[in-house]
Amino acid sequence: MRYLSKLASILPLLGIAQGAALATRQISNPGSKDPQYVKVVGISVLGSGCPKGTADVQIDATGTLFEVTFSQYEVQTGPDTHPADWRKNCKLTINMEFTPGFQFSIVDTDMFGYAEIPAKVNGQCTNTYSFTGGGSDHVDFKLPLKGPYSGNFDLHSNPGISSYSPCGGSTAILNMNTACAISPTNLPALIAASPSYNGVLTVKFHLEWRPCDA
């Protein structure tokens, strides 16, 4: 199953090609807890769930909503599948610039896709966020898919914990790893892109900004 439809954005998002720079975005009516501008200067993508040219990253004009789409992210189990089919991941590294004196955290995440999970089978997707230079600190957003389940899914997660980007500068490198798996692997099951969601598997996440002296 491979869906290659172009993303049709509902929100006024700006597409970012992998490795390309996004022009500086002034934030409308910024508050004291918001930076004046946010700029994405580089993106790299690596993983079994995102072959070259199949992932897209977009950011809205406020610098608080990111949307990542995958057109060939597919996890399958059952007869005639192989270990490489049972788990997929994609790691994104997003290099950001912003008004000095601010830091940000991921506050919640949503995932949209399609699943066929029979009884006695469990699927799970985990979105892990960390910051380069932040040591081993990271936040996991776990999104379970328990069988029986058939159809589109819209999974929301808010772990209730915060990990902020380092202070002391105007740049940060955000790392996001999306990993999905199904077990047991002997029964037919699927997690994939959905034709109802423009033929892509989608992860959305929100940033919360604060001054470094907060």
Side-chain angles (χ1 to χ4, degrees):
M1 184 184 297
R2 293 288 185 263
Y3 303 109
L4 301 177
S5 302
K6 179 67 177 175
L7 173 67
S9 298
I10 299 175
L11 297 176
L13 301 175
L14 300 170
I16 305 171
Q18 296 174 24
L22 175 68
T24 301
R25 299 296 300 172
Q26 290 293 131
I27 296 178
S28 301
N29 300 318
S32 60
K33 294 184 178 181
D34 299 318
Q36 297 289 323
Y37 70 89
V38 178
K39 181 180 180 181
V40 174
V41 296
I43 297 171
S44 64
V45 180
L46 179 66
S48 57
C50 49
K52 185 177 180 180
T54 66
D56 181 60
V57 181
Q58 302 188 28
I59 178 175
D60 78 335
T62 69
T64 61
L65 174 63
F66 280 71
E67 182 174 291
V68 185
T69 57
F70 308 99
S71 62
Q72 291 190 20
Y73 198 119
E74 183 176 289
V75 181
Q76 282 187 301
T77 57
D80 300 322
T81 63
H82 306 281
D85 302 319
W86 304 339
R87 181 185 184 279
K88 294 293 175 69
N89 85 293
C90 186
K91 181 179 180 181
L92 285 85
T93 301
I94 305 173
N95 192 347
M96 300 174 61
E97 291 182 358
F98 43 85
T99 307
F102 285 86
Q103 60 180 171
F104 63 89
S105 176
I106 311 297
V107 292
D108 59 16
T109 186
D110 292 271
M111 194 167 194
F112 307 88
Y114 179 84
E116 290 284 350
I117 309 292
K120 299 181 180 180
V121 174
N122 293 302
Q124 179 165 289
C125 294
T126 302
N127 296 317
T128 300
Y129 300 92
S130 63
F131 301 101
T132 298
S136 60
D137 291 343
H138 65 275
V139 176
D140 292 332
F141 291 75
K142 296 183 178 181
L143 307 165
L145 275 167
K146 185 176 181 180
Y149 188 94
S150 178
N152 295 326
F153 63 80
D154 176 357
L155 303 174
H156 178 81
S157 178
N158 184 335
I161 56 177
S162 297
S163 177
Y164 279 86
S165 60
C167 276
S170 60
T171 63
I173 298 176
L174 171 63
N175 305 300
M176 184 192 92
N177 186 66
T178 294
C180 294
I182 300 172
S183 64
T185 60
N186 60 309
L187 297 175
L190 172 72
I191 298 174
S194 169
S196 300
Y197 293 130
N198 303 298
V200 292
L201 185 82
T202 302
V203 178
K204 294 183 180 181
F205 57 93
H206 291 82
L207 305 186
E208 179 179 75
W209 292 91
R210 72 179 185 186
C212 283
D213 57 0

